[in-house]
Amino acid sequence: MTVRIATFNAENLLSRFDFSGFRNELRQDRVSQLYDFANEAEYRHAEIARAVSLTDDTRQLTALAIAEADADILCLQEVESLDTLHRFEYGYLFKMIGDGYRHKVLIGGNDSRGINLALLAREETLDGARIEVLDVTSHAHLTYEATGLYTPDLHDLAKPHDKVFKRDCLEVDLKIGAKRLTVYVTHFKSMGSPRAGIDGRTWPMPGGVAEARGVRQIIARRFGADGGGKRYVIAGDFNDYAERVVITGDRRNGYHFTPAIEAESAVHVLTADGFAENVVQRRPEMDRWTLYHTRGPEERHLCQLDYLLASPALTRTSRDRLPHIIRAGQPWRTLFPHGQAVDRYPRTGWDRPKASDHCPVAMTFDLV
C-alpha cells in the first residue's frame, strides 16, 4: 500500500483585493506604478481590473501543477480560507482532476496578511485505501516563553511573549487503510531584503531556526526524541535552504551553475541525528531546487525552499522512491541548468502568469 504526499506554496491563493498600494507604494503592483491615479476610488477600480485579469490564467496554471503532482494528500501554503479553497477547487481544479479532495483542513494562523496553511486529502489512495482525518491540532498559539525557545539572537526579531510560528504548525492525524500517519504542515518566517549590511537570509534566520525547533519539540514531546518509530512527514515552505545553485554569467556569454553548501540552516534542526530525512536530497545535487531567486544579474540562485521531511519509520520502507519536483509552472525567466528544461504549461509568461514562484514537491511512500 502506498500514499502520495505533496507540498506546494500556491502563492497568494486569495479571494480578496489588496488596496493598500494606494497609500503604500511598496505594496503597489509594478504595473500600477506606471500610471497616475486621481483618487483612491480610481485606483481601486484599476486594481480590481488588474487582479481579475491576471488571476484567471494564474489559477489555471496553479491547478495544472497540483494535477501533475497527483497527490493523495496535498499540503498547501498561502491559502486565505476554506471558502477560497472551495472556489478554487470548483472553478479550476475540478476541470482537471474531477471531484478529487473531499477532506479539507484549514485553521487561521498568525500571518498578518491572512495567508494560512491547508491540508487536502482524497477519500482514498490510488491503491484504494480509505483516507480518514482523525484529528487536527493548531499550534499557532505557542509562545517562546511557553516553549522555552527564546534565545538572545532573537532579541531584534521578537519578544519572549511573541508567537513562535509566524503562520502555524498544523498537525493532522490521518488513517490510511489500517496505517496511521501524522502530517505537520509548516510555513516558516520569510526572508527579507538586506539590512544594515546583513543579507536578507542571515538576519531573520534565528526566527526560522526557532520555528524548526518548535516543530521538532512538538513531535518529540508526542513521539519521543527519536520519533518513536512513528510515521510522520513535515511538509511545507521553510523559507530557508541548506544548499543552493549559484548562477553567474549572462545571456550573451552563457550561464554557469555552481552548487554551494550552507554552513547554517533551519533545515538542519529537523534533519540532525536522523530525526527526519529531506527526501529531495535523493535527487542529483544540481536538481533539488524548488525556487529561482533573483534580485537582478548580481544575485541569482536556485534553491530548495519546499520540503518533505519524512520520519525514519516512513523512509525505511521507501528507500527506492524518488521525489518529483513539478517545474512546468515556472515562469520563463527562471534559469534552468543544462538538461533540466521542461515544457511549460500553456500561457505561462516571462514573469507572470505562473503557477507559483515555488514548485510543488511530491513523493510516493510505501506503508508497510
Side-chain angles (χ1 to χ4, degrees):
M1 183 173 66
T2 66
V3 61
R4 187 166 176 83
I5 304 173
T7 184
F8 185 27
N9 182 327
E11 192 183 13
N12 296 324
L13 184 51
L14 311 173
S15 57
R16 55 183 159 85
F17 300 105
D18 181 2
F19 301 116
S20 61
F22 181 74
R23 303 182 185 281
N24 181 358
E25 191 171 304
L26 295 175
R27 298 290 299 273
Q28 192 173 119
D29 187 82
R30 62 177 183 257
V31 72
S32 300
Q33 296 175 11
L34 296 174
Y35 299 91
D36 292 321
F37 298 100
N39 50 55
E40 186 168 359
E42 186 176 292
Y43 174 81
R44 284 173 173 258
H45 287 304
E47 176 59 22
I48 290 171
R50 182 201 67 80
V52 169
S53 64
L54 177 65
T55 298
D56 184 47
D57 280 339
T58 297
R59 292 315 164 201
Q60 288 188 61
L61 299 174
T62 302
L64 281 167
I66 291 173
E68 187 175 343
D70 195 23
D72 300 314
I73 298 168
L74 174 65
C75 305
L76 291 177
Q77 299 87 50
E78 299 201 7
V79 181
E80 181 180 350
S81 65
L82 276 175
D83 181 61
T84 300
L85 203 51
H86 282 299
R87 294 184 193 191
F88 168 68
E89 182 181 32
Y90 296 146
Y92 294 89
L93 196 55
F94 179 82
K95 299 177 187 301
M96 298 168 193
I97 66 172
D99 196 5
Y101 295 103
R102 288 294 187 92
H103 303 293
K104 298 180 182 66
V105 173
L106 187 149
I107 298 176
N110 297 323
D111 189 88
S112 60
R113 290 200 298 131
I115 54 173
N116 298 305
L117 307 174
L119 181 142
L120 287 69
R122 299 181 187 273
E123 286 193 298
E124 60 181 37
T125 67
L126 182 63
D127 294 341
R130 185 183 179 194
I131 301 176
E132 299 175 67
V133 176
L134 302 178
D135 198 14
V136 179
T137 305
S138 166
H139 297 282
H141 63 285
L142 294 178
T143 64
Y144 293 109
E145 285 178 324
T147 57
L149 292 172
Y150 195 81
T151 55
D153 57 0
L154 286 164
H155 180 268
D156 294 330
L157 296 171
K159 304 301 181 186
H161 60 269
D162 287 344
K163 304 293 195 300
V164 173
F165 298 110
K166 298 303 171 282
R167 282 90 184 183
D168 197 354
C169 173
L170 190 61
E171 181 178 2
V172 184
D173 288 315
L174 301 122
K175 186 177 180 183
I176 303 164
K179 307 294 183 181
R180 295 294 187 95
L181 171 70
T182 303
V183 179
Y184 297 88
V185 191
T186 61
H187 186 184
F188 291 174
K189 180 177 176 61
S190 301
M191 288 185 272
S193 301
R195 178 184 297 184
I198 304 174
D199 69 79
R201 174 175 179 263
T202 301
W203 69 259
M205 185 181 292
V209 169
E211 290 190 82
R213 288 174 177 162
V215 174
R216 182 158 181 163
Q217 183 184 95
I218 289 166
I219 299 172
R221 284 181 173 175
R222 180 176 178 187
F223 296 136
D226 61 354
K230 303 299 183 180
R231 300 181 191 89
Y232 55 81
V233 173
I234 307 161
D237 174 5
F238 285 13
N239 272 312
D240 196 15
Y241 48 84
E243 57 188 357
R244 57 181 174 149
V245 178
V246 179
I247 304 172
T248 55
D250 53 42
R251 183 182 300 177
R252 179 175 296 176
N253 299 299
Y255 295 103
H256 306 282
F257 299 83
T258 307
I261 303 296
E262 302 299 326
E264 295 182 75
S265 172
V267 183
H268 294 154
V269 173
L270 292 163
T271 58
D273 306 318
F275 187 75
E277 179 190 343
N278 175 14
V279 296
V280 169
Q281 287 199 312
R282 297 182 181 189
R283 296 174 67 95
E285 182 181 40
M286 296 284 286
D287 195 21
R288 298 169 182 165
W289 60 274
T290 67
L291 180 132
Y292 170 62
H293 166 83
T294 179
R295 292 189 184 277
E298 302 304 316
E299 185 181 337
R300 292 180 300 207
H301 64 252
L302 300 164
C303 60
Q304 182 191 0
L305 294 189
D306 305 276
Y307 294 84
L308 291 175
L309 304 185
S311 70
L314 199 54
T315 56
R316 272 197 302 268
T317 58
S318 308
R319 295 311 314 169
D320 297 329
R321 301 283 188 179
L322 287 176
H324 182 198
I325 301 175
I326 294 93
R327 300 186 177 125
Q330 280 288 290
W332 285 94
R333 67 180 175 87
T334 300
L335 299 174
F336 284 67
H338 179 72
Q340 292 185 24
V342 296
D343 292 328
R344 262 76 160 198
Y345 301 136
R347 297 179 68 82
T348 300
W350 179 82
D351 177 58
R352 58 188 183 186
K354 57 184 179 294
S356 170
D357 50 348
H358 294 250
C359 300
V361 178
M363 181 161 152
T364 300
F365 294 92
D366 295 297
L367 298 177
V368 178

